[in-house]
Structure formats: structure tokens, C-alpha cells
Amino acid sequence: MRLRHLLLLSVAIVVLASCKSQQQASSGSASTADEVVVTENVDFNGDNAYKLVKAQCDFGPRVPGSAAHSKCATWLEQELKASCDSVIVQEAQVKTFDNKTLNIKNFVGCINPSNDDRILLLAHWDCRPWADNDHDASKHHEPVMGANDGASGVGVLLELARLMKETKPGIGVDILLVDAEDWGTNDVEDSWALGTQYWAKHPHAQGYSPRFGILLDMVGARGARFSKEIISLQYAPEVVNEVWTMAQKSGFSNYFINDTGGAITDDHVQVNNAGIKCIDIIDMRMDSDTGFFDGWHTTSDTMQWIDASVLKAVGQTVANVIYSY
């Protein structure tokens, strides 16, 4: 879906050396591993999340400028308004690496907006315009459906919003759905995450400063395994530790692996650059040619990949983190 700088572990070791010392020195606002408490009163529904992923795909590829993109935007706003206390829509124009001007929309759904103590959750909702990694070269100019690469993270966040409407958390939560993440090229680093770049320069609230952020990306494919992403460890090691410890205590250690993966150019980079600690929960497959699931940036990134049990593991882990505050 994006450039996604994937650094091999031999390179990442250098980064981890500095991460280790940063982790030891950081007091942070997030809980330590011993302080993480699993709550029993919330139940994330993976089947509902699956339906929300499918609903996005039913519009077709959500490429900026397309009819599917416009229809999905209307639906996303309605879904957020049904679950959140307030919804902010950011409309903007951004310039792409290939000199196109895109009309984009970011959505922010706010839960407990009067609470100054907040957590940011985000995912991108657009699709890549070209299936440039497809095994069939004749399909390289076709759009990507983005069932896993985009819709899975959004589906989890929309179901979390429904859950938080039903059972209010003790902390404020902002659900940020960003646009124009996947219209990029490997030749231009800043060509990715255009919607997040805009939001970072124009946050939805003046002086916005949540405890931390959690990005969900490619969180629904069968066989998914979530190792600890390098940039997340560099900027927010204590948040990584909190989330992975919660996953283990919640019974999802077979999904959240206590191992280090690669370094990804993704939306969380822009959030960290804006001064907000943010981690990336992302399915990295170091034994594949691309570093990701086989449908990545191909026309086969459809509902055939999506597994409700994976959505459940991610959604329940994040829910348990939220309700531990």
C-alpha cells in the first residue's frame, strides 16, 4: 500500500541499540509491564469488525477522486456520528509526487471530548491506485481493493467506536481515519501518508497532546503475526511494551510476537514527527519477498484474506489497553 521502508534486521540492530537505552531511561506516561491490567467487562466483536471491513470493500477500491471514495467517505462519517460524541471532518487538497491535486477527507471521531487525558487511534481509509506488486504485470495499473491494507484497520476502529459508545472508557479517545496514505512512490519518501501529513500540520484540536497513539495497518489477514516495529520502538518503547504485554495477558501471544520486525514508513512516522508518541501494529512477514502478506499492493487484496479471529485479537488487545485507564 505504501512505500513502506522495510529495513532488514542487520540494519535495525543499530537503531535498537539506541532504543534500548531510551527504554531504560524513559519514565513515560504509559503503564509498565507489571502495571498492565486486563479488564473483563468489554468484549470486542471480531465478526462485527469483519462486516465493517466488507462494507468498505463493497464500495469498490477507495482511491481518492473515485466514486467509491466519495461514497465511502459519506458512509464513514455516518458510522462515526452513530458511535462518537463528536465528529470532525477535515477537507483539504494535497499534491502528489506525480503532480496530481487530490481532494481528501480526514475524519476524527471523539469519545469523551471533555476529558483532557486522551489516546489517539488511527488507520488510513484510502486504497492504492495501482496494484504495482501484482504477479500479473498486466494488472499493475489496476486499483487495489485494500481489504487488509486499509479497510481492516478502519473496521477495527469503527467497531471499537461502537464498543465505546456502549461502555464509556475512563479516558478520552480520538479515532482518526486518514486519507491519501497510499498514493506514494519508493523514490520519494514524503510522498506517503499525505492525509496524516496534513493532520500533523493542522491538528483537529489546538495544542492536541494525547498520551500516545496506536496505528492499525494490515491487521486482518489470515496468518497475521505482529512483531515489534523498529520506529515504534525508537519513539515509544514503553507503549510497545504496554500493548504487547496486554496482548499476552489477554491470550493473544500467538498473534503478538515478542520479536523485532522491520522499520516501516507509515502514518505513525508523521505522528511521531509531530511530537506525539505513536506505535504501529502491522503484520510484517520477514520471510516473504515484500515483507508483507502475499496480497500486498495486488488485486488479490480482497475479503478472501480477512480473518475475523485476527481482527478480534487486535481489537480486543487495543480495547483492553483503553479500558485499563
Side-chain angles (χ1 to χ4, degrees):
M1 53 184 274
R2 64 219 68 197
L3 171 193
R4 294 211 172 182
H5 238 24
L6 186 61
L7 302 182
L8 299 178
L9 288 180
S10 58
V11 177
I13 288 172
V14 177
V15 179
L16 277 179
S18 64
C19 294
K20 184 176 181 181
S21 60
Q22 181 179 347
Q23 186 171 10
Q24 290 171 340
S26 174
S27 58
S29 59
S31 304
T32 64
D34 292 338
E35 293 172 338
V36 170
V37 177
V38 180
T39 57
E40 302 291 342
N41 63 332
V42 291
D43 182 22
F44 181 90
N45 192 315
D47 291 329
N48 283 351
Y50 181 95
K51 293 174 184 176
L52 290 164
V53 176
K54 183 178 184 301
Q56 295 169 76
C57 292
D58 286 345
F59 290 110
R62 283 83 57 212
V63 175
S66 68
H69 183 269
S70 178
K71 291 176 182 177
C72 187
T74 300
W75 177 79
L76 288 174
E77 185 175 356
Q78 292 171 346
E79 288 294 310
L80 289 172
K81 285 182 175 178
S83 298
C84 299
D85 295 314
S86 63
V87 176
I88 299 165
V89 181
Q90 287 188 329
E91 297 189 53
Q93 289 189 331
V94 296
K95 187 76 73 174
T96 67
F97 75 95
D98 52 352
N99 207 33
K100 299 263 193 323
T101 299
L102 303 181
N103 294 310
I104 68 166
K105 285 187 177 182
N106 294 332
F107 300 94
V108 187
C110 305
I111 291 93
N112 296 337
S114 62
N115 192 332
D116 292 333
D117 192 8
R118 311 197 65 76
I119 292 173
L120 172 68
L121 307 176
L122 68 153
H124 80 92
W125 68 275
D126 64 302
C127 294
R128 186 157 179 78
W130 325 279
D132 48 340
N133 197 53
D134 205 286
H135 298 299
D136 183 349
S138 68
K139 297 181 178 180
H140 283 186
H141 296 289
E142 295 182 19
V144 175
M145 179 63 76
N148 189 37
D149 190 357
S152 64
V154 173
V156 169
L157 293 187
L158 291 178
E159 177 59 15
L160 280 170
R162 185 204 62 79
L163 181 62
M164 287 186 282
K165 178 184 180 182
E166 185 178 278
T167 305
K168 285 289 187 181
I171 195 168
V173 178
D174 299 300
I175 294 176
L176 171 62
L177 306 181
V178 291
D179 202 353
E181 188 277 339
D182 235 343
W183 196 305
T185 175
N186 291 353
D187 298 326
V188 183
E189 179 76 9
D190 287 341
S191 60
W192 307 90
L194 298 180
T196 308
Q197 288 187 48
Y198 179 85
W199 174 86
K201 295 173 183 175
H202 307 89
H204 63 279
Q206 186 173 4
Y208 184 66
S209 182
R211 283 176 176 250
F212 56 81
I214 300 176
L215 168 64
L216 303 183
D217 201 351
M218 296 195 287
V219 293
R222 64 179 185 273
R225 295 295 181 269
F226 305 104
S227 53
K228 299 174 180 179
E229 190 268 338
I230 291 287
I231 295 174
S232 303
L233 285 169
Q234 181 182 5
Y235 283 94
E238 71 279 14
V239 183
V240 174
N241 185 53
E242 178 178 3
V243 172
W244 262 251
T245 299
M246 181 61 82
Q248 182 182 35
K249 292 187 175 184
S250 302
F252 301 119
S253 57
N254 56 326
Y255 293 100
F256 287 77
I257 309 303
N258 189 25
D259 198 2
T260 304
I264 312 300
T265 297
D266 207 346
D267 292 296
H268 70 311
V269 174
Q270 301 297 333
V271 178
N272 279 301
N273 287 343
I276 298 170
K277 294 180 180 180
C278 188
I279 70 167
D280 194 358
I281 300 178
I282 183 169
D283 178 16
M284 293 177 284
R285 308 194 183 190
M286 304 300 287
D287 56 349
S288 75
D289 291 339
T290 64
F292 306 106
F293 77 114
D294 287 345
W296 179 70
H297 285 188
T298 74
T299 55
S300 70
D301 184 5
T302 60
M303 289 301 297
Q304 66 178 324
W305 279 101
I306 303 302
D307 184 340
S309 64
V310 179
L311 299 171
K312 165 72 174 181
V314 175
Q316 190 66 61
T317 296
V318 175
N320 287 348
V321 169
I322 292 169
Y323 286 92
S324 70
Y325 288 91

